[in-house]
Amino acid sequence: MIEKAYGSFANRASDFIGSVWSIAILLAGIIGSGIYFGFTERWELLLHLAMAFVALIAVFFLQRSQRHDNHAINVKLDELIKAVEGARNSIAGVDKESNEVLEKISKK
């Protein structure tokens, strides 16, 4: 249940992070808070702290979204490999292999 809720939230968050609106809100927040705090050194320190926190959280959301997309692409490609006559079906699960094994297979 937690995985499903986190997945749904992470997908929506990564969609928002990648939108133009997130940049607009970020810039408005920076300018607005700067005006409110008078662009002091304390404001700059808090801004750096907030930006680091937002970047860290964004990395988790984007990583989860990227992992999900990669998994979906691998499943689709595996299905295509299995459907094509004459294709090597052993290639279908190769995404879980090490880089050395992938190099050997690509040279064949």
Side-chain angles (χ1 to χ4, degrees):
M1 170 144 164
I2 292 174
E3 176 67 28
K4 186 176 179 181
Y6 174 73
S8 176
F9 180 73
N11 286 339
R12 282 187 266 132
S14 63
D15 286 343
F16 176 73
I17 290 169
S19 72
V20 174
W21 290 108
S22 65
I23 296 171
I25 291 171
L26 179 67
L27 289 175
I30 290 171
I31 294 169
S33 65
I35 292 171
Y36 181 77
F37 288 110
F39 296 101
T40 61
E41 287 183 20
R42 182 174 181 217
W43 168 79
E44 188 176 346
L45 177 67
L46 291 174
L47 178 65
H48 286 288
L49 181 65
M51 295 299 288
F53 178 74
V54 168
L56 180 66
I57 297 300
V59 165
F60 287 114
F61 290 148
L62 295 174
Q63 180 66 32
R64 198 258 179 222
S65 177
Q66 185 67 42
R67 186 173 49 97
H68 179 268
D69 291 346
N70 284 341
H71 184 68
I73 289 169
N74 284 334
V75 168
K76 291 175 186 179
L77 288 174
D78 289 350
E79 188 65 25
L80 287 173
I81 290 170
K82 292 173 185 174
V84 172
E85 200 170 314
R88 295 182 290 173
N89 288 341
S90 61
I91 299 292
V94 80
D95 55 298
K96 295 173 182 66
E97 298 292 338
S98 67
N99 286 337
E100 292 84 23
V101 173
L102 291 176
E103 285 296 321
K104 288 178 185 176
I105 292 172
S106 68
K107 289 179 182 178
K108 288 184 181 180

